[in-house]
Amino acid sequence: MTTSYWLCMIIAIVTVTVTITVAIDDHPQLSSTRVVFQTNYGDIEFGFYPTVAPKTVDHIFKLVRLGGYNTNHFFRVDKGFVAQVADVVGGRSAPMNDEQRQEGEKTVVAEFSHVKHVKGILSMGRFEDPNSAQSSFSILLGDAPHLDQQYTIFGKVTKGDDTLKKLEELPTRREGIFVMPTERITILSSYYYDAEMDSCEKERSILRRRLAASFVEIEKQDKPIRFRSPGEVSGSRVASRNRLV
């Protein structure tokens, strides 16, 4: 076989490999961790993309575990575009402890990817420097392809579309490039859980109920038959009819 044949084969293999890699990167797998923000307008739940932005995920999840987002707020709601969470340093109504402040003031290096900025995606806020992201992030309320590979995507909303719709209907005002709600949208509290463990626990609970029901049925079937003596048979038929066996 000629050299040109093998060269074409190598190019074809490389092209297929790149295509598969990009396709996987476009649709990454969410981890089983779920975070819930409880706002004064309802709950918003989201998951993480640790294979896409591992450093960002570690940072945001640590802030959640520390309670850093509690009493923080959404300072920006631009209908059809983004709902943006403020930086925890300066955005909270409650004072921060030293550990929260130390983590909140950290910056995270850019982790740009091929994942698209579509509705539901979580994308880090930053200044002009690509490596200036701290704790502010946006929830995409619509597709924004002009943001692709310019901002770090680290997760996706898994529940809470109704809450986001409520936020989009709130009155707003414009300040420069920002469209901001006229009233405070507070993250009252936050918590996290493992979706796989939660699912397993539900399945175990269902299995336990089924097993319990099966045991009851077996006991009914295995209950020994009680034979009455002739004296009992000749007794009061009314009492016999009312007796529970």
Side-chain angles (χ1 to χ4, degrees):
M1 295 181 181
T2 64
T3 303
S4 59
Y5 170 82
W6 288 112
L7 182 59
C8 289
M9 287 296 291
I10 292 170
I11 292 172
I13 291 169
V14 170
T15 302
V16 170
T17 303
V18 171
T19 302
I20 292 172
T21 302
V22 171
I24 292 172
D25 202 8
D26 281 344
H27 301 89
Q29 184 71 35
L30 284 171
S31 70
S32 60
T33 300
R34 296 290 182 271
V35 171
V36 179
F37 281 175
Q38 297 180 300
T39 80
N40 50 329
Y41 288 94
D43 294 355
I44 302 169
E45 179 189 288
F46 57 87
F48 294 117
Y49 290 141
T51 59
V52 174
K55 292 182 176 63
T56 304
V57 168
D58 286 346
H59 174 62
I60 298 298
F61 188 38
K62 185 173 182 179
L63 277 171
V64 170
R65 297 198 306 273
L66 291 172
Y69 285 97
N70 296 349
T71 76
N72 197 13
H73 69 290
F74 286 83
F75 79 93
R76 179 186 188 187
V77 179
D78 198 336
K79 188 173 183 179
F81 182 36
V82 296
Q84 188 168 355
V85 178
D87 271 314
V88 297
V89 179
R92 289 163 45 103
S93 59
M96 304 185 78
N97 61 40
D98 291 341
E99 193 173 8
Q100 289 171 336
R101 182 173 295 279
Q102 183 179 9
E103 190 65 29
E105 289 177 344
K106 287 181 180 178
T107 56
V108 189
V109 297
E111 295 177 292
F112 302 155
S113 66
H114 291 287
V115 182
K116 306 298 183 185
H117 280 79
V118 296
K119 186 176 180 179
I121 283 293
L122 307 184
S123 180
M124 290 297 288
R126 63 172 176 82
F127 297 105
E128 188 174 352
D129 180 358
N131 300 316
S132 61
Q134 290 184 297
S135 58
S136 176
F137 65 87
S138 295
I139 298 175
L140 272 290
L141 302 174
D143 297 352
H146 63 285
L147 302 179
D148 291 348
Q149 299 186 45
Q150 302 293 321
Y151 295 84
T152 298
I153 288 174
F154 67 94
K156 183 180 181 180
V157 170
T158 50
K159 293 179 184 177
D161 286 345
D162 290 344
T163 300
L164 293 173
K165 287 177 183 176
K166 289 179 187 177
L167 301 190
E168 287 190 276
E169 297 306 318
L170 294 175
T172 59
R173 67 182 189 278
R174 181 174 286 276
E175 290 190 14
I177 65 169
F178 297 120
V179 178
M180 310 171 74
T182 57
E183 54 189 89
R184 186 179 175 90
I185 303 168
T186 303
I187 301 170
L188 303 171
S189 62
S190 60
Y191 66 91
Y192 61 93
Y193 70 96
D194 190 301
E196 288 183 358
M197 291 293 291
D198 189 64
S199 177
C200 288
E201 187 56 40
K202 288 179 181 178
E203 290 177 3
R204 283 196 293 268
S205 177
I206 293 170
L207 180 59
R208 282 195 294 268
R209 289 198 298 271
R210 287 177 178 172
L211 286 173
S214 297
F215 287 142
V216 170
E217 189 63 29
I218 291 170
E219 286 177 357
K220 286 180 180 179
Q221 294 175 3
D222 290 348
K223 187 171 183 178
I225 299 174
R226 179 171 176 265
F227 294 96
R228 295 188 177 88
S229 65
E232 287 180 306
V233 173
S234 61
S236 171
R237 293 186 179 274
V238 174
S240 178
R241 288 194 196 100
N242 293 336
R243 187 182 294 114
L244 297 177
V245 179

